[in-house]
Amino acid sequence: QVQLVESGGGLVQAGGSLRLSCAASGRTVSTYGMGWFRQAPGKEREFVAAVSWSGASTYYADSVKGRFTISRDNAKNTVSLRMNSLKPEDTAVYYCAGRGRGGALPDADPDKYDYWGQGTQVTVSS
């Protein structure tokens, strides 16, 4: 079983930056596609970014493309999300997710992910 723990959330002004981290334990996630999703109050959970098992392939939601960067360090069993030029509409709980066996590629469908963290709150003030 894989446990995912997010960190790095907080309160930031519009235009600022944050770096979210996701630490995996229980087993290596080095062969899994990994992703970040977010959920704002009263809204559905939505895809943010995903990365392939090797880190060579990434995929972003249009709303964050050019502002957010997903990366991973398989030696440390971690995944990160660098968020720049933050906007108030980026305010949400951010979740790290892992695809599990058979899922090495990035994917925007949350149903393709087997493992989820508890989430970290990101609040962007205007």
Side-chain angles (χ1 to χ4, degrees), residues 3-119:
Q3 292 81 43
L4 301 175
V5 178
E6 304 93 339
S7 62
L11 173 64
V12 64
Q13 288 189 330
S17 298
L18 281 175
R19 184 181 181 90
L20 304 184
S21 294
C22 173
S25 62
R27 66 184 303 162
T28 178
V29 296
S30 62
T31 60
Y32 301 166
M34 299 292 293
W36 286 94
F37 292 78
R38 68 187 181 186
Q39 188 167 19
K43 294 188 177 181
E44 297 283 324
R45 186 172 296 190
E46 66 173 357
F47 168 73
V48 175
V51 61
S52 64
W53 70 275
S54 67
S57 178
T58 57
Y59 182 35
Y60 296 94
D62 288 343
S63 59
V64 306
K65 201 171 296 183
R67 300 188 297 123
F68 291 11
T69 302
I70 188 171
S71 61
R72 66 188 300 159
D73 185 335
N74 285 339
K76 295 182 179 179
N77 225 22
T78 60
V79 180
S80 297
L81 184 69
R82 177 67 179 180
M83 306 185 295
N84 294 329
S85 303
L86 283 161
K87 305 175 182 179
E89 50 263 45
D90 294 318
T91 295
V93 177
Y94 283 70
Y95 298 90
C96 175
R99 289 204 60 191
R101 294 184 179 184
L105 299 178
D107 201 292
D109 184 353
D111 290 337
K112 297 287 182 65
Y113 291 81
D114 297 323
Y115 306 109
W116 292 85
Q118 292 300 305

